[in-house]
Amino acid sequence: MEEKMFTRGGMDRLQARTDRENFPYPRGDGKVKLVNAAWLANHLHDDNLTIVDVQPNIHDYIQEHIPGATYLTEGVLRVSNRGFPGSYSPNACLQESFRRAGIEADSPVVVYTGKGAFSGAGDGLGQTMMAYTLAKYGHNRVYLLDGGIDTWKNEGGELSQDYPAVEPSGFTVEVRDDYPIGYEEFRQIKDNDDVVVLDARPAKVYEGKGPWRKAGHIPGAVNLPWKSMMDENNPALLKSNDELDMILEDHGVDRSKTVICSCGTGREATNEFVLLKWFYLYPNVRIYEGSFTEWVTHPDNPVVEGPEPREARAATTPAR
C-alpha cells in the first residue's frame, strides 16, 4: 500500500521519509546530511566537530552566533574569471579559506545561516551554497543545520559573542567533477527524453522579469522555485517529506531520469541539488553551475518567456 503511494520514488522515497525522524539524515555514506537543533545541542562540544557560520553579514556573526562557530562568508566561494561573474574561486583560494576555518575533510562540519539579527538580510541559501562547495571540493561529512540559527534560537539554543580559537587545518582540495555539468555537455543532453532540467528561480523571473540580457528561461527547463521547498517563515528550513514528495511528483522530478539543477547563477540550484542528491538519494543529479547567466552569454541560444517550459507551437491552418 505504502509503495503505491510513492510511485516514482518507491521504497527509496518511503525510506527517506522514515529516516528523517533520525539524524544525521539520511542514513548511508552521503557527503551531505541534515541535522536539527536538538542533534547539534547534544553534539555541540564534540572534539572533532567544526561549526561554520555563513550568516549574510559579518556583523550578524559578531552580534550572535552558535557557540564555537567560526565565520566563513560564502563570498569567498566565487570570483570573476575572465569577466564571467559566477566562477568558483581558484582551488588554492578555497583550500586556504577552508584551512583557516579549521575544517578537516573527514571530520563533521555543521553549516548554518539565518536572517541576520544585525543586518536583517539573508535568504537561507548560504548554507546550501557552502555545503555544496565543501562537498564538491573534497569534504566528506558536511552537516546542514535544518532551519539554521533561527530555529536554533526558537528552540532555546545558546548564543555567543566569543570567537573560538581555531587552529588551521591541513584540508586539501580534491575536486569532484561529477557533480557539475559543463556548458557543452548540458547543451548536448538537456533535451533528451531521459533528462529533466529544473530552474530554481522564482516564477516571475523564470517567466521573463529578471536582470539578464535576455528575458525568460532555457527552453525545456521546468520551473521549480527553490523557496517552494522551504518553510514559508524560514527559508533555511525544509518542508516535511510528505510536502516535498507532492511537490516533486507534481513537477515530474523522476528519479529514473538524470536531473539537472539550474537557476540564474548556480546558487539557488544548490538548494535542489543538495535535496535531490543527498537527502532524497536520486542516483543521477547534476548541477549546471553556469546556469542562465552562462546560457545567455551565447547570443544564438534561444530563450522562452512565460510559464511554460517550451513555446507553444503555432496551430496549423487546416487545408480546404
Side-chain angles (χ1 to χ4, degrees):
M1 181 70 176
E2 292 270 34
E3 173 73 11
K4 293 179 181 178
M5 293 170 60
F6 296 85
T7 53
R8 290 197 179 94
M11 292 306 295
D12 288 331
R13 185 172 292 179
L14 182 61
Q15 178 178 321
R17 185 183 70 168
T18 303
D19 281 357
R20 191 161 166 190
E21 300 169 4
N22 303 292
F23 296 93
Y25 158 83
R27 289 173 287 177
D29 59 357
K31 307 302 182 188
V32 180
K33 296 180 182 291
L34 196 69
V35 297
N36 64 359
W39 182 93
L40 180 56
N42 289 332
H43 293 269
L44 192 62
H45 301 294
D46 288 2
D47 290 338
N48 67 334
L49 182 70
T50 301
I51 306 174
V52 172
D53 181 304
V54 290
Q55 290 187 84
N57 188 301
I58 191 173
H59 300 96
D60 299 322
Y61 170 81
I62 290 170
Q63 180 163 321
E64 60 181 32
H65 53 263
I66 294 173
T70 185
Y71 186 65
L72 182 60
T73 173
E74 66 168 300
V76 305
L77 303 181
R78 297 195 295 183
V79 294
S80 293
N81 183 17
R82 299 180 184 272
F84 186 76
S87 297
Y88 278 83
S89 297
N91 291 357
C93 296
L94 291 169
Q95 180 171 282
E96 183 63 20
S97 296
F98 297 156
R99 286 182 174 184
R100 289 190 181 196
I103 296 170
E104 298 281 2
D106 293 314
S107 296
V109 54
V110 173
V111 177
Y112 74 85
T113 188
K115 190 173 182 63
F118 180 85
S119 70
D123 57 9
L125 286 168
Q127 59 189 41
T128 58
M129 182 68 181
M130 184 64 71
Y132 167 73
T133 307
L134 282 164
K136 176 188 174 182
Y137 287 93
H139 202 283
N140 298 313
R141 298 180 65 186
V142 183
Y143 292 165
L144 195 150
L145 181 60
D146 199 18
I149 193 172
D150 297 305
T151 294
W152 173 263
K153 291 192 293 186
N154 290 341
E155 296 187 9
E158 181 185 354
L159 296 171
S160 176
Q161 289 187 313
D162 295 332
Y163 311 134
V166 176
E167 287 296 322
S169 73
F171 189 97
T172 301
V173 160
E174 295 182 9
V175 182
R176 295 182 169 117
D177 289 323
D178 56 324
Y179 295 173
I181 183 169
Y183 170 74
E184 291 297 339
E185 185 183 359
F186 173 77
R187 192 165 169 270
Q188 290 172 7
I189 73 169
K190 75 178 189 67
D191 294 316
N192 291 357
D193 290 340
D194 61 349
V195 172
V196 176
V197 178
L198 301 179
D199 187 324
R201 296 175 298 168
K204 66 179 182 180
V205 179
Y206 171 87
E207 292 174 15
K209 296 185 177 171
W212 289 270
R213 65 178 69 182
K214 290 184 178 180
H217 57 269
I218 298 169
V222 176
N223 190 210
L224 178 55
W226 73 273
K227 274 197 173 180
S228 69
M229 320 293 283
M230 314 305 290
D231 182 87
E232 291 182 3
N233 298 312
N234 183 349
L237 179 66
L238 279 166
K239 288 182 175 177
S240 71
N241 274 27
D242 285 341
E243 293 174 290
L244 294 174
D245 285 338
M246 294 178 63
I247 294 169
L248 295 174
E249 296 283 356
D250 288 345
H251 288 78
V253 188
D254 190 333
R255 73 166 55 238
S256 69
K257 297 185 177 183
T258 295
V259 182
I260 301 176
C261 303
S262 74
C263 56
T265 68
R267 181 172 178 264
E268 292 162 303
T270 62
N271 177 280
E272 292 171 6
F273 182 87
V274 167
L275 172 70
L276 295 173
K277 181 174 180 64
W278 287 303
F279 300 164
Y280 264 65
L281 308 179
Y282 274 44
N284 298 303
V285 187
R286 309 286 295 280
I287 182 168
Y288 179 28
E289 292 176 350
S291 283
F292 195 68
T293 298
E294 182 176 45
W295 182 259
V296 297
T297 61
H298 299 270
D300 294 336
N301 280 341
V303 297
V304 177
E305 292 189 57
E308 298 300 325
R310 299 187 186 278
E311 289 181 326
R313 294 181 180 177
T316 57
T317 304
R320 301 190 64 172

